[in-house]
Every structure is written in structure tokens, then in C-alpha cells.
């Protein structure tokens, strides 16, 4: 009796505890000014000496009246076009002079329910922060909204609308009225109506601005290496004059109706090449303020994780009719909760696909989940929260502030990572299989929702019909489903751990504290301890070969072979991909292999305590990879579907033409034909991969939060015991060449598409990756050109929404590019191309870079480097490239000095070397018949 009473008492205490509110991050300072403006301040010293500031206005396109459709987004643009303290044309220029790049460090975005302005500052000087606060306060209540500036920006907005046009936008335009019929969501895409954009005068802007930009409707978020009280004082000072509205208008209701019955819909488009099919249910958003809410969500997440694992296993075993499939439950545009099941694949298999995902969902509903599956799911969740908590002290400010913005949007104050870890670990053991199944049944019902398909609309392809969807769905729901079978994997990665190999040579760069080893098997290894990212170690293994060696017959073999090295499809002679996935679930590391600029690169990022297990995976995959049939077959089908879609994509066709013109049709660069894809042999691709892994010279970097002695031990054990190979490739210079011809090259590509815009690619053959001097100077020149092009083509002429100039060194000699790319209205594409070319050439003519431009670029590069040089991933990549690019460790000490020493004369001389007619290319892709 006493035992029973004690149990009831404890249970009552636990239930009461679950009704307590979720904790909030104790390091986060929140407050409200007298005028109603809220603020959040989060100290964070990663990277040191940096701060990000954000103004979140709690209003977007949903609050537009009919004659304002598009003005919330248009108003966001106007925030960069004149305010009380920043005259038109001065704001962007001022912040660029501090080292901030427009679009990278100063940006904004508009959604259905928010308009957000974001500034990533280069330093934490009081004058920098105060000037930024002044600007954001101007955005809140002191924009000029001049008629002339409004008119100038119309072309940019229209070009942004044009740049977004395409099959994806057409599908979205059809889907929203079906998913949320009669709601404002269906009628208020943030980009708006063209008629409103063309015709709206100042009074409409002012009406929206004064109605919704109010202090009680905004939040300032500051995150970075700052003093809380100092920032609190700055916010109070800069935003105190923002007057509250006398009669604040409430938000318009969204008008979203939740599903109460089963419906079906089909959306088609002639440029789709695969079918997407599934069902979803819109339901009211659930509370997320109490511990009990977190417990409910954990139970649901476990069930969804297991169902997705089952779908993944079907793919891994080659038993799936789909190319991809997943279940999810979560927020829908801030207005509802959506519960979804979706699959994509070949159009002719839509019935099998729909049947398969319904069957697996029903299997989970009726038979629940096995204990071994539940334990795997819990292990994965625990690993995620543990890693998040460990890494939180060095979480990047730019990542932090965006997570905080999401929390503001959702109306919640976030927990700290440590609080989340503690709660999750306390709750998980109490969640039973019955509770998980009950939550899954609650989420996934078959009596209400929308069965939806998007499918190609073209001759020879039979799209689903509404009646067909409901018939197949109903048949699958009515069919009997047996409980699933399965057993947990029992295999091991390695038969036994290898013994550490000897070191043939060792050097230490004292300045960088980089230890470089040559192991007995001729592997080069670079080790660097960094504590800037807590509990993170980056391992990069670069094989100097693969794509470099491909011919017309073996093109794409490196990419296909690397499937055997990627998470989810990786397999060994001892373990299938499914078994390997299970064995690595709950381990705090991720891995993958891909072709990268001529090389084959295997990358792993992990926490120190699980890193050796990651190295075991690395060793197993690099010594005994197995390329399974199912993922290769899936790759072939997916590549052909994507290729078919790409042939109707203007941007792809433009890029493809550039590659063909510059390379002379080199098969290592060109897109493969469907015939080549069909002819590719799994066994041959596996043999190709094994040859690369066995013979290619390798350069390895291990960088992060781990002592060098431990790094060395892991490298000697798992890298030093790979097969011996040559230290260098004597033929590297030869195989990196492309048989190029002199230009200029010009091509107009006509594309069968409904998308009415032009894609422009122009530029000059740039520097090789091995020519570091020229690559640096061209990058510097591209920054100058980018600012000039943005002003001339976008701001002054309104011919495009976004134009980029970049310098990309070539892994293949002759394939480096000093490039300019943008979208445009078809009738204006030739004019815009001509102007863009001249803007660049002016830099070696009568408008060379000015001292002010050069100083601004140096500030921007210094700002970028200050952040990059604190990142383990940057160092891991740089160290693994040394031999391939003909560099030494000492070269890595000179990043900033090399850029800061660049002179005007050096820029002009280098640009003259490359900006020649014989190096020029120009491609304009347009819809056929335009």
C-alpha cells in the first residue's frame, strides 16, 4: 500500500513538473522600452570582435490591403534608398567602407509575417554599433520614401519578380490556393502583383509604413561580443523617439481553414520531369510553452524518425518505387501546423509510390514501433542535444541571431542548449512505445487532409487525376498491413583496429602551430589544434585524382563511385549501407565523399569523444568500399530526370554553354548524355573508385578541438595504414590542362521554356588555382567590379535584380573564370550585357579603381578573413590543398598581408593580362522564339 501511494505521489509530482513552463536561456536579456519596442541581447564571442544586429518588424505581406500587394517587400528595398540620416545612395556605400558587403553583411528579407533587416558588423567599436543602430532606427520610423527613389526601384523589383519566375514559382502559385483556399496566404505572395509594383505612388507606401512599422510591432536583436548594459543603453537612446501608434491596427486574420475531410488535387506543369505525391493535413498550431509540450513533440519526433528510417531502408535495399520519401510535421508559414507524407520519383510509378508511403504510414499507425527502433531514435536525439550543448559556447553569432529571429517569429523565447539537453535527457526515458504510437496516430490520420500530386504535363506522360488519387489512396488505406520485420545490425566496422604506422618525416610550423607529417605510406598529414569551435574537429582527406583522369568513356565515374562514401549510401564489404547507417546512429560525427575540383575528397566532422569511431568508418570505407546496386540505379534515374528538367532551365543551359565554349567540349566538364548515364556500369565505377583510393596521392588535414598528439595517433593508425602510394603525381601539370582555343566566344541559346527571362553569363578566362598571385588580384578586382555593376546595372538602370561579379580560379588550367552573371528582361538583355562588359573594361581604361574603392575592398576582405581564419573548416580545406596548388604551410601565414599589399597598379596590370578579347566569352540564354 505504501509502495503504491509512493508511486502515485511521484507520478503526480512528475505530471505537475511537466506542466511547468519551459525554461528560457539565462544568458539572454530581454526587455521593452516605454514605447513598446522589444529587445533581445545575447552576448556571444564567436567570432571575437564581431556583432550582429537585427530589426524584426512583425509584419509582412499578410498585412497588405488589395492595393498594397507587394509593398511590404517593396518597402524593404526602400530601406536602402534614403532615410533621415542616410541620404539616397549613401547607406550601402557607408557600410561597405567599414568592410561590409551588400547582400552578405547587410541584408533584409520579407515573408508573409515578418520583414527583417540584418547587419553583420566588422567590429564592436561604439561608433560602428551606434551608427548601425541609427540606421535601423531610421528604417523603423524615418524612411524618406522619395518618389524619385520609388520610381528608380520599380525596375529592380520587377526584375526580382522575373528572376524568381520558373517552374517552381508556377507550382507554388497553383499550390497555395489549393492548400489554403480562400486564405490571405493564398493571395499574398511577398513578391506581390506586377500592377501594384508598376503603379503604386508614395501614399500607399506611407500608409503601410505608418500602420505596421510601430515600436510595439518590432523587436531589436543584438548578438555578439558585446556588453549587455552598453547595448541596452544604445537601444534606448536610438529608438526612444519612435512614437507608438494611438490606435494600433491588429493583424489581418490569415483565413486559414483546417482540413475536416479528405480531398484531392493535381497540379501539372510542362517543365516538370518527376512526380511528387503524398498527403498532408493542416491543423491548428499546438502550444509549445510547457514541458508537457516538449514531451509530446519528442514522442512525435521519435515516431517520425523511425518511419523515415524505414523508408530509407527501402531505398537502400532497392525495394522502393520512389526516389525519395519522407514524413514531417511542423509549422506552416506561421499560420498552422502541417503533417505531411511525400514521395518523389518517376511519373509512371505514381500509384506504387502513393501506395508505398500510405502503407508504411499505416504500418506504423497499426503496429507501432519496435524497441530496437525506439532506442536508435533516442540515441540519435540524445547525440544531437549533447553536441548542441557542447558547441553552444562557440556557436557562430551569425547562426545564433537567425535562430533568435525564428524564435521571435514563432512568439517564443528560446531555451539554452544546456537546458534543452537536460530536459530531453530527463524526458526521453519516460516515453514509452505505446505513447509514441498514440502520438503518431494522432498526427497521421487518413480521414482528413489533402492527397496532392504535382506532375509533368506533356505528351506521352499520363498525370494522375483527382479520382485516381483518391482511388489509390483509399485502396492503400483499406488494405491489410502486416507488422514489419527487422533486426538491429550486429556487424562491426573493422575486423580489428590497425596498428599505428611509423612517421617518415615531421615538421612543425611554429607560427601557425601546424604539424606536418609524411607517413610511411607517403600520406601527407597536417595537424592543427584550434579551440575557436568547441568540440568540433574537421578531417579532410584529398585524393589527387579521380575527375582529373576521366575520359569521354569514364566521365562521371568518380561521382558515381563516391556514392559508396556518402552517408546513407556508404557501404563496405562487411556492412551494407543500412547496417552502416544503424551502427553510426547516435555517434557525434558526420561524413561524406564527393568529387571536388579535380580531386576526390572525403570529409568528416565530429566531436572528440566519437572521433575515433569516425576514423574507423573512414578506414573501412577507404580500404573496402562497396558500391551497392540500388543507389547507383537511383542515381541514374535521378540524374536523367534532373537532366531532362535542366534542358528547360535557362540558367543551366547558359552555364552548360559556357563550359562547352571554354573547355572545347572536354568530357570532364560537360554534362553527360542520357546514353552515357545508361551505359555506366556499377562494377566499373566501383573498380574506378577503388583504384583512386588505392593509388592516388593523398593530403590529409585534421583541424579542431583536439590535442595534436591525439590527432597524430589517429592519423598514424587510420591514415598511415592505407595502401602505400606515390608521394606526388608527376603528370599533375599535364592532366590539369584543357585544350583551349582563343575567343572571343559568343553564343545565344534558345530554350524550350515558359519562363520569360534571359540568363546572361559573360566573362574572361581567369587564373589557374596554382597561380595564387593572379587569383588574389583578380578576386580583389571582382569586388570593385561587383560594386560598380550593382550601381550601374541594378540601381541606376533597373535592368536586373541581382548582378554578381566573381573570380573563380580553375582546378583545370584554362577553366578559371572572371565572371559576371545576371537575369534580365529578354528585350533588354543585349543592352545590359553590353553595359556590363564595358563597366568591367573601364577598370583598365579611363575609370581605373579609385583609392576609396581599393580601401573599401581591403576593409571587406579584412573583415571576411577575420571570420574565416577562426574557422577549422577553412584551415582544413586550405591545408588539404597545399600540394595540389603548389603551396607551402608558410604561405598560409600571409593571407591578410597578401591582400593588403595589393596596389592599384597591380590590379590594373593583372586585369589587363586577363581582360583580353581572346579570353572573352558571352552567353545569353532566352526562351525559344524570343
Amino acid at each position: 500500500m505504501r509502495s503504491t501511494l509512493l508511486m502515485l505521489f511521484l507520478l503526480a509530482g512528475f505530471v505537475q513538473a511537466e506542466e511547468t513552463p519551459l525554461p528560457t536561456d539565462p544568458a539572454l536579456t530581454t526587455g521593452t522600452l516605454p514605447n513598446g519596442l522589444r529587445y533581445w541581447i545575447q552576448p556571444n564571442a564567436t567570432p571575437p570582435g564581431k556583432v550582429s544586429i537585427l530589426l524584426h518588424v512583425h509584419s509582412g505581406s499578410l498585412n497588405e490591403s488589395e492595393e498594397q500587394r507587394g509593398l511590404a517587400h517593396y518597402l524593404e528595398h526602400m530601406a536602402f534608398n534614403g532615410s533621415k540620416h542616410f541620404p539616397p545612395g549613401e547607406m550601402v556605400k557607408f557600410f561597405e567602407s567599414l568592410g561590409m558587403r551588400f547582400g552578405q553583411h547587410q541584408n533584409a528579407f520579407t515573408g508573409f509575417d515578418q520583414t527583417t533587416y540584418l547587419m553583420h558588423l566588422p567590429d564592436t567599436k561604439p561608433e560602428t554599433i551606434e551608427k548601425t543602430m541609427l540606421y535601423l532606427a531610421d528604417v523603423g520610423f524615418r524612411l524618406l520614401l522619395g518618389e524619385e527613389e520609388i520610381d528608380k526601384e520599380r525596375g529592380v523589383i520587377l526584375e526580382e519578380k522575373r528572376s524568381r519566375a520558373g517552374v517552381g514559382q508556377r507550382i507554388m502559385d497553383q499550390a497555395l490556393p489549393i492548400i489554403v483556399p480562400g486564405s490571405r496566404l493564398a493571395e499574398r505572395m511577398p513578391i506581390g502583383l506586377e500592377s501594384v509594383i508598376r503603379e503604386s505612388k508614395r501614399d500607399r507606401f506611407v500608409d503601410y509604413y505608418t500602420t505596421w512599422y510601430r515600436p510595439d510591432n518590432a523587436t531589436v536583436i543584438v548578438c555578439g561580443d558585446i556588453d549587455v548594459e552598453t547595448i541596452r543603453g544604445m537601444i534606448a537612446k536610438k529608438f526612444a523617439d519612435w512614437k507608438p501608434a494611438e490606435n494600433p491596427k491588429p493583424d489581418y486574420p490569415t483565413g486559414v481553414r483546417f482540413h475536416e475531410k479528405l480531398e484531392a488535387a493535381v497540379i501539372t506543369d510542362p517543365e516538370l520531369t518527376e512526380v511528387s505525391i503524398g498527403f498532408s493535413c493542416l491543423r491548428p498550431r499546438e502550444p509549445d510553452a510547457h514541458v508537457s509540450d516538449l514531451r509530446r513533440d519528442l514522442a512525435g519526433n521519435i515516431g517520425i524518425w523511425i518511419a523515415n528510417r524505414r523508408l530509407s531502408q527501402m531505398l537502400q535495399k532497392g525495394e522502393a518505387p520512389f526516389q525519395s520519401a519522407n514524413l514531417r510535421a511542423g509549422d506552416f508559414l506561421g499560420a498552422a501546423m502541417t503533417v505531411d507524407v511525400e514521395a518523389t520519383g518517376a511519373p509512371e510509378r505514381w500509384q506504387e509510390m502513393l501506395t508505398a508511403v500510405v502503407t508504411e504510414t499505416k504500418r506504423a499507425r497499426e503496429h507501432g514501433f519496435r524497441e530496437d527502433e525506439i532506442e536508435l531514435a533516442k540515441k540519435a536525439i540524445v547525440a544531437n542535444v549533447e553536441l548542441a550543448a557542447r558547441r553552444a559556447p562557440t556557436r557562430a553569432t551569425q547562426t545564433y541571431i537567425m535562430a533568435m529571429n525564428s524564435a521571435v517569429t514563432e512568439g517564443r523565447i528560446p531555451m539554452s542548449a544546456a537546458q534543452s539537453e537536460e530536459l530531453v535527457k530527463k524526458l526521453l526515458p519516460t516515453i514509452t512505445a505505446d505513447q509514441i504510437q498514440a502520438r503518431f496516430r494522432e498526427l497521421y490520420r487518413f480521414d482528413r487532409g489533402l492527397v496532392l500530386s504535382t506532375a509533368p504535363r506533356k505528351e506521352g506522360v499520363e498525370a494522375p487525376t483527382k479520382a485516381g488519387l483518391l482511388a489509390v489512396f483509399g485502396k492503400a488505406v483499406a488494405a491489410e498491413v502486416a507488422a514489419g520485420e527487422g533486426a538491429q545490425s550486429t556487424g562491426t566496422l573493422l575486423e580489428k583496429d590497425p596498428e599505428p604506422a611509423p612517421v617518415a618525416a615531421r615538421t612543425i610550423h611554429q607560427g601557425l602551430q601546424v604539424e606536418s607529417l609524411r607517413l610511411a605510406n607517403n600520406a601527407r598529414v597536417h595537424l592543427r589544434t584550434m579551440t575557436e569551435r568547441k568540440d568540433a574537429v574537421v578531417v579532410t582527406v584529398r585524393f589527387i585524382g579521380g575527375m582529373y583522369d576521366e575520359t569521354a568513356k569514364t566521365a562521371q565515374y568518380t561521382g558515381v563511385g563516391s556514392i559508396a562514401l556518402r552517408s546513407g549510401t556508404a557501404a563496405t564489404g562487411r556492412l551494407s549501407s543500412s547496417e552502416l547507417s544503424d551502427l553510426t546512429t547516435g555517434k557525434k560525427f558526420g561524413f561524406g565523399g564527393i568529387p571536388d575540383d579535380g580531386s576526390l575528397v572525403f570529409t568528416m566532422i565530429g566531436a572528440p569523444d566519437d572521433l575515433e569511431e569516425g576514423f574507423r568508418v573512414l578506414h573501412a570505407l577507404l580500404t573496402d568500399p562497396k558500391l551497392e546496386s540500388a543507389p547507383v540505379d537511383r542515381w541514374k534515374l535521378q540524374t536523367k530526370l534532373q537532366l531532362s528538367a535542366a534542358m528547360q532551365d535557362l540558367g543551366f543551359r547558359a552555364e552548360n554553354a559556357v563550359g562547352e565554349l571554354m573547355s572545347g567540349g572536354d568530357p570532364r566538364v560537360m554534362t553527360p548524355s542520357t546514353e552515357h548515364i545508361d551505359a555506366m556500369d556499377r562494377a566499373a565505377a566501383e573498380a574506378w573508385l577503388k583504384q583512386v583510393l588505392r593509388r592516388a596521392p593523398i593530403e590529409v588535414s585534421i583541424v579542431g578541438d583536439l590535442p595534436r598528439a591525439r590527432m597524430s595517433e589517429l592519423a598514424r593508425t587510420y591514415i598511415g595504414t592505407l595502401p602505400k602510394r606515390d608521394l606526388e603525381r608527376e603528370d599533375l601539370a599535364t592532366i590539369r590542362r584543357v585544350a583551349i582555343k582563343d575567343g572571343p566566344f559568343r553564343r545565344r541559346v534558345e530554350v524550350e521554356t515558359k519562363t520569360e527571362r534571359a540568363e546572361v553569363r559573360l566573362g574572361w578566362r581567369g587564373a589557374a588555382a596554382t597561380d595564387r598571385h593572379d587569383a588574389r588580384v583578380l578576386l580583389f578586382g571582382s569586388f570593385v567590379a561587383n560594386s560598380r555593376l550593382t550601381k550601374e546595372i541594378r540601381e541606376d538602370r533597373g535592368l536586373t535584380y541581382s548582378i554578381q561579379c566573381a573570380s573563380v580560379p580553375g582546378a583545370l588550367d584554362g577553366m578559371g573564370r572572371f565572371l559576371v552573371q545576371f537575369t534580365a528582361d529578354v528585350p533588354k538583355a543585349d543592352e545590359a550585357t553590353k553595359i556590363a562588359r564595358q563597366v568591367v573594361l573601364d577598370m583598365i581604361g579611363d575609370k581605373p579603381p579609385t583609392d576609396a574603392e581599393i580601401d573599401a575592398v581591403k576593409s571587406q576582405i579584412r573583415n571576411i578573413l577575420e571570420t574565416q581564419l577562426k574557422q577549422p573548416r577553412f584551415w582544413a580545406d586550405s591545408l588539404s590543398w597545399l600540394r595540389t596548388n603548389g603551396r607551402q604551410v608558410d604561405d598560409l601565414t600571409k593571407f591578410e598581408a597578401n591582400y593588403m599589399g595589393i596596389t592599384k597598379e597591380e590590379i590594373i596590370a593583372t586585369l589587363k593580362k586577363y581582360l583580353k578579347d581572346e579570353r572573352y566569352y558571352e552567353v545569353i540564354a532566352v526562351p525559344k522564339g524570343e
Side-chain angles (χ1 to χ4, degrees):
M1 180 67 174
R2 289 176 60 192
S3 175
T4 303
L5 287 172
L6 178 62
M7 182 64 71
L8 288 172
F9 176 77
L10 292 173
L11 181 61
F14 186 78
V15 170
Q16 186 177 21
E18 288 203 349
E19 293 308 313
T20 60
L22 289 169
T24 58
D25 189 342
L28 176 65
T29 297
T30 65
T32 305
L33 297 184
N35 60 8
L37 177 79
R38 285 161 286 179
Y39 59 83
W40 289 10
I41 306 171
Q42 178 80 51
N44 189 59
T46 304
K50 305 288 183 183
V51 60
S52 295
I53 306 177
L54 176 154
L55 174 66
H56 178 108
V57 179
H58 302 258
S59 183
S61 59
L62 289 180
N63 279 334
E64 295 168 345
S65 63
E66 187 65 24
E67 65 273 11
Q68 291 174 334
R69 289 176 61 178
L71 293 197
H73 169 253
Y74 203 148
L75 189 59
E76 171 217 311
H77 280 241
M78 294 309 300
F80 297 91
N81 285 289
S83 66
K84 180 177 179 179
H85 297 99
F86 295 86
E90 294 301 315
M91 190 283 289
V92 172
K93 190 180 300 183
F94 170 76
F95 285 107
E96 282 186 339
S97 72
L98 297 181
M100 299 165 63
R101 298 196 76 198
F102 183 65
Q104 180 178 355
H105 302 114
Q106 37 181 327
N107 212 336
F109 56 89
T110 304
F112 288 95
D113 56 357
Q114 66 173 305
T115 309
T116 296
Y117 302 87
L118 179 60
M119 309 289 278
H120 300 299
L121 307 189
D123 58 60
T124 55
K125 296 175 183 177
E127 57 268 30
T128 303
I129 298 176
E130 287 202 2
K131 197 76 170 181
T132 303
M133 293 277 194
L134 179 65
Y135 165 67
L136 291 176
D138 271 12
V139 171
F141 61 103
R142 291 189 290 250
L143 291 182
L144 299 179
L145 302 179
E147 285 282 11
E148 182 180 349
E149 297 303 318
I150 288 172
D151 289 340
K152 281 179 62 177
E153 198 67 17
R154 289 189 206 279
V156 176
I157 303 288
L158 291 169
E159 286 306 316
E160 181 175 1
K161 185 175 176 68
R162 193 188 316 281
S163 73
R164 295 181 181 185
V167 60
Q169 187 63 54
R170 294 196 297 271
I171 294 298
M172 178 66 77
D173 289 342
Q174 293 181 71
L176 280 178
I178 293 171
I179 297 170
V180 280
S183 72
R184 295 181 73 82
L185 282 167
E187 301 172 347
R188 292 294 187 276
M189 287 295 291
I191 195 62
L193 298 179
E194 185 168 331
S195 58
V196 172
I197 296 168
R198 289 188 182 280
E199 299 165 8
S200 292
K201 299 300 182 183
R202 186 177 186 275
D203 59 329
R204 290 189 190 178
F205 289 86
V206 171
D207 181 40
Y208 184 95
Y209 184 52
T210 55
T211 300
W212 303 110
Y213 280 55
R214 314 185 306 258
D216 66 292
N217 205 35
T219 304
V220 173
I221 306 177
V222 183
C223 181
D225 192 5
I226 41 87
D227 174 72
V228 171
E229 290 308 314
T230 300
I231 296 299
R232 194 203 301 260
M234 287 184 180
I235 293 172
K237 178 182 177 183
K238 298 300 180 185
F239 289 89
D241 292 340
W242 195 352
K243 303 300 182 186
E246 293 184 6
N247 296 297
K249 188 173 183 178
D251 289 341
Y252 285 103
T254 64
V256 172
R257 299 197 300 267
F258 306 116
H259 288 124
E260 298 294 339
K261 61 181 180 179
L262 191 64
E263 302 171 89
V266 178
I267 298 171
T268 62
D269 191 276
E271 292 178 25
L272 284 174
T273 57
E274 63 181 1
V275 67
S276 172
I277 200 159
F279 66 96
S280 65
C281 181
L282 280 183
R283 46 190 287 170
R285 295 179 69 183
E286 297 178 321
D288 60 355
H290 293 84
V291 174
S292 57
D293 300 327
L294 176 60
R295 191 176 197 280
R296 175 204 67 216
D297 290 344
L298 284 171
N301 291 342
I302 291 170
I304 291 171
W305 188 94
I306 296 170
N308 282 329
R309 173 178 176 268
R310 292 176 179 179
L311 294 171
S312 177
Q313 287 181 324
M314 290 175 65
L315 282 167
Q316 289 168 326
K317 296 174 183 178
E319 299 171 353
F322 43 76
Q323 288 291 100
S324 65
N326 74 288
L327 288 74
R328 66 173 293 274
D331 179 77
F332 181 76
L333 301 176
M337 177 182 179
T338 182
V339 181
D340 304 306
V341 181
E342 183 184 25
T344 61
E348 63 273 13
R349 302 194 70 179
W350 72 265
Q351 296 186 47
E352 299 169 77
M353 290 161 52
L354 181 57
T355 299
V357 292
V358 171
T359 299
E360 287 309 309
T361 306
K362 186 178 179 185
R363 196 186 316 280
R365 277 182 52 84
E366 294 188 0
H367 300 288
F369 308 99
R370 303 188 309 272
E371 285 298 335
D372 62 290
E373 295 176 309
I374 293 171
E375 286 309 306
L376 271 178
K378 288 182 177 181
K379 281 173 61 177
I381 292 170
V382 167
N384 285 336
V385 295
E386 282 183 348
L387 196 56
R390 291 185 193 179
R391 291 179 175 173
T394 55
R395 187 182 185 185
T397 287
Q398 292 191 12
T399 303
Y400 227 136
I401 200 165
M402 292 311 297
M404 294 165 72
N405 186 65
S406 295
V408 166
T409 305
E410 294 163 13
R412 59 181 175 83
I413 299 178
M415 293 184 283
S416 71
Q419 290 170 326
S420 178
E421 178 191 16
E422 181 182 1
L423 266 177
V424 168
K425 284 184 172 180
K426 185 182 293 184
L427 292 171
L428 277 180
T430 71
I431 299 174
T432 67
D434 288 344
Q435 291 167 343
I436 296 167
Q437 184 180 6
R439 176 58 176 165
F440 192 87
R441 285 176 172 171
E442 181 188 4
L443 288 172
Y444 289 92
R445 303 174 53 170
F446 297 129
D447 62 336
R448 64 187 64 179
L450 177 68
V451 186
L452 178 66
S453 173
T454 60
R457 183 175 73 245
K458 57 186 67 176
E459 190 175 343
V461 177
E462 185 176 347
T465 63
K466 290 183 184 180
L469 285 176
L470 290 174
V472 173
F473 183 82
K475 184 177 178 181
V477 169
E480 292 188 9
V481 178
E485 297 180 0
Q488 206 165 6
S489 302
T490 56
T492 57
L493 283 166
L494 301 172
E495 191 171 344
K496 65 175 183 178
D497 287 349
E499 294 294 324
V503 175
R506 182 194 310 267
T507 60
I508 297 180
H509 189 284
Q510 294 296 337
L512 292 176
Q513 286 297 295
V514 172
E515 184 174 348
S516 296
L517 312 175
R518 178 168 62 83
L519 304 179
N521 63 350
N522 280 334
R524 293 183 185 274
V525 182
H526 307 288
L527 316 172
R528 188 171 196 250
T529 297
M530 294 182 68
T531 57
E532 282 85 350
R533 294 291 189 273
K534 187 171 172 56
D535 268 312
V537 182
V538 182
V539 181
T540 302
V541 185
R542 187 176 298 275
F543 294 85
I544 306 171
M547 192 271 272
Y548 279 138
D549 301 294
E550 289 175 358
T551 65
K553 184 176 181 180
T554 58
Q556 299 291 317
Y557 269 46
T558 308
V560 176
S562 69
I563 291 171
L565 307 179
R566 300 175 196 169
S567 180
T569 55
T572 73
R574 296 171 60 81
L575 294 170
S576 69
S577 58
S578 180
E579 291 169 329
L580 183 59
S581 293
D582 282 356
L583 280 175
T584 55
T585 295
K587 301 296 183 182
K588 294 184 282 294
F589 64 83
F591 65 88
I594 57 169
D596 176 50
D597 286 342
S599 305
L600 175 63
V601 179
F602 183 91
T603 301
M604 179 172 66
I605 303 177
D609 54 343
D610 277 344
L611 197 63
E612 183 157 16
E613 188 69 3
F615 268 98
R616 291 189 181 99
V617 172
L618 177 154
H619 190 84
L621 291 175
L622 299 187
T623 55
D624 187 26
K626 177 69 176 176
L627 186 57
E628 295 176 329
S629 296
V632 173
D633 292 341
R634 197 161 70 249
W635 177 88
K636 286 185 174 184
L637 176 57
Q638 192 65 36
T639 302
K640 289 190 291 185
L641 289 171
Q642 290 172 345
L643 183 59
S644 179
M647 288 297 105
Q648 301 169 86
D649 183 87
L650 291 156
F652 174 86
R653 293 291 300 277
E655 286 292 334
N656 198 55
V658 170
E660 181 181 352
L661 290 171
M662 293 185 68
S663 72
D666 191 302
R668 296 174 293 181
V669 176
M670 297 308 299
T671 301
S673 65
T674 55
E675 293 76 16
H676 180 79
I677 294 167
D678 285 331
M680 295 184 76
D681 178 70
R682 183 207 62 80
E686 182 181 282
W688 178 272
L689 173 68
K690 289 182 175 179
Q691 178 174 293
V692 173
L693 298 179
R694 187 168 54 247
R695 296 182 181 178
I698 59 176
E699 191 156 20
V700 180
S701 59
I702 306 175
V703 181
D705 189 12
L706 194 69
R708 284 208 319 260
R710 178 59 174 153
M711 292 178 179
S712 177
E713 181 184 12
L714 291 170
R716 290 187 298 113
T717 304
Y718 298 102
I719 301 295
T721 51
L722 297 177
K724 189 169 184 177
R725 61 209 61 231
D726 290 337
L727 186 63
E728 310 282 2
R729 284 199 66 159
E730 301 298 331
D731 63 344
L732 186 56
T734 301
I735 63 174
R736 291 177 72 151
R737 293 187 192 130
V738 171
I740 62 176
K741 297 178 181 179
D742 285 344
F745 300 110
R746 287 184 171 86
R747 180 175 294 181
R748 196 172 187 89
V749 181
E750 291 196 342
V751 182
E752 290 279 4
T753 179
K754 291 178 63 179
T755 302
E756 297 180 359
R757 70 164 180 263
E759 288 276 355
V760 179
R761 304 289 186 272
L762 66 95
W764 292 261
R765 203 181 295 277
T770 51
D771 191 340
R772 299 309 303 163
H773 171 272
D774 284 8
R776 280 192 298 270
V777 179
L778 288 180
L779 177 65
F780 203 105
S782 73
F783 274 44
V784 176
N786 195 78
S787 294
R788 291 187 177 190
L789 287 163
T790 298
K791 185 177 188 307
E792 182 75 21
I793 308 295
R794 173 189 157 125
E795 295 175 10
D796 291 350
R797 298 176 183 265
L799 292 172
T800 189
Y801 161 60
S802 177
I803 186 166
Q804 295 93 33
C805 179
S807 177
V808 183
L812 294 172
D813 293 350
M815 292 301 294
R817 294 170 64 185
F818 189 90
L819 64 97
V820 178
Q821 61 182 35
F822 58 94
T823 62
D825 189 7
V826 175
K828 299 178 181 178
D830 290 316
E831 174 194 3
T833 301
K834 183 178 179 181
I835 296 169
R837 182 174 187 269
Q838 191 58 50
V839 168
V840 176
L841 290 176
D842 282 345
M843 292 199 301
I844 57 173
D846 58 1
K847 297 179 182 178
T850 66
D851 292 339
E853 287 176 319
I854 291 172
D855 289 343
V857 171
K858 286 183 177 180
S859 296
Q860 292 165 24
I861 290 177
R862 187 184 296 112
N863 182 25
I864 292 168
L865 285 175
E866 284 173 353
T867 300
Q868 286 185 335
L869 294 176
K870 301 293 184 182
Q871 297 177 2
R873 183 61 185 264
F874 174 82
W875 284 99
D877 288 345
S878 298
L879 289 166
S880 75
W881 265 118
L882 288 179
R883 302 303 297 178
T884 311
N885 286 344
R887 301 166 75 185
Q888 305 294 327
V889 174
D890 193 57
D891 293 332
L892 305 185
T893 66
K894 305 168 185 174
F895 281 120
E896 184 170 335
N898 284 332
Y899 283 108
M900 296 307 107
I902 291 174
T903 65
K904 182 189 302 186
E905 292 72 25
E906 201 174 359
I907 297 169
I908 295 171
T910 305
L911 288 174
K912 283 182 176 179
K913 177 180 173 181
Y914 287 90
L915 303 186
K916 297 178 178 178
D917 274 354
E918 60 266 28
R919 304 180 71 90
Y920 182 71
Y921 66 84
E922 178 183 299
V923 174
I924 303 176
V926 298
K928 192 169 185 178
E930 290 281 356

